[in-house]
């Protein structure tokens, strides 16, 4: 990380990181609905094979939401996304 980057490149990198975090959050949410009772899991049983997977997914979801809020604040200062729905804010 000794490369010197200009502000435009830094902004591009922040936007790319924000988009990546948003996609990961959407993927986590989609997997969360699949592992809900009656959902389809990789084993096809409808029951999660890993009892620690649900709490881990919640923690990851909270972490991605926090990352999204921080990156949104960097990209659009003063514009706060709704709590619980970080994807509501748009990128500039």
């Amino acid at each position: 990380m000794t490369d010197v980057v200009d502000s435009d490149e830094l902004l591009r990198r922040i936007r790319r990181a924000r988009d990546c975090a948003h996609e990961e959050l959407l993927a986590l949410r989609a997997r969360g609905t699949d592992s809900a009772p009656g959902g389809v899991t990789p084993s096809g049983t409808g029951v999660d094979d890993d009892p620690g997977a649900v709490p881990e997914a919640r923690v990851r979801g909270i972490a991605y939401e926090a990352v999204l809020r921080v990156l949104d604040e960097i990209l659009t200062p003063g514009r706060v996304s709704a709590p619980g729905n970080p994807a509501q804010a748009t990128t500039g």
Side-chain angles (χ1 to χ4, degrees):
M1 295 288 305
T2 60
D3 296 340
V4 176
V5 296
D6 63 359
S7 60
D8 289 335
E9 178 60 22
L10 182 60
L11 190 57
R12 276 191 293 275
R13 290 180 185 188
I14 292 171
R15 285 182 178 144
R16 193 168 44 240
R18 191 248 179 244
D19 291 344
C20 179
H22 183 248
E23 291 298 319
E24 287 295 325
L25 182 60
L26 291 177
L28 274 171
R29 287 180 179 167
R31 283 194 298 266
T33 58
D34 286 346
S35 63
V40 178
T41 59
S43 67
T45 62
V47 179
D48 202 354
D49 296 331
D50 181 8
V54 173
E56 181 182 342
R58 283 189 192 129
V59 170
R60 285 178 179 240
I62 291 168
Y64 280 116
E65 286 176 0
V67 168
L68 281 172
R69 281 194 302 271
V70 169
L71 294 177
D72 282 341
E73 182 64 26
I74 292 169
L75 292 170
T76 54
R79 183 176 181 181
V80 179
S81 60
N85 190 2
Q88 201 173 32
T90 59
T91 57

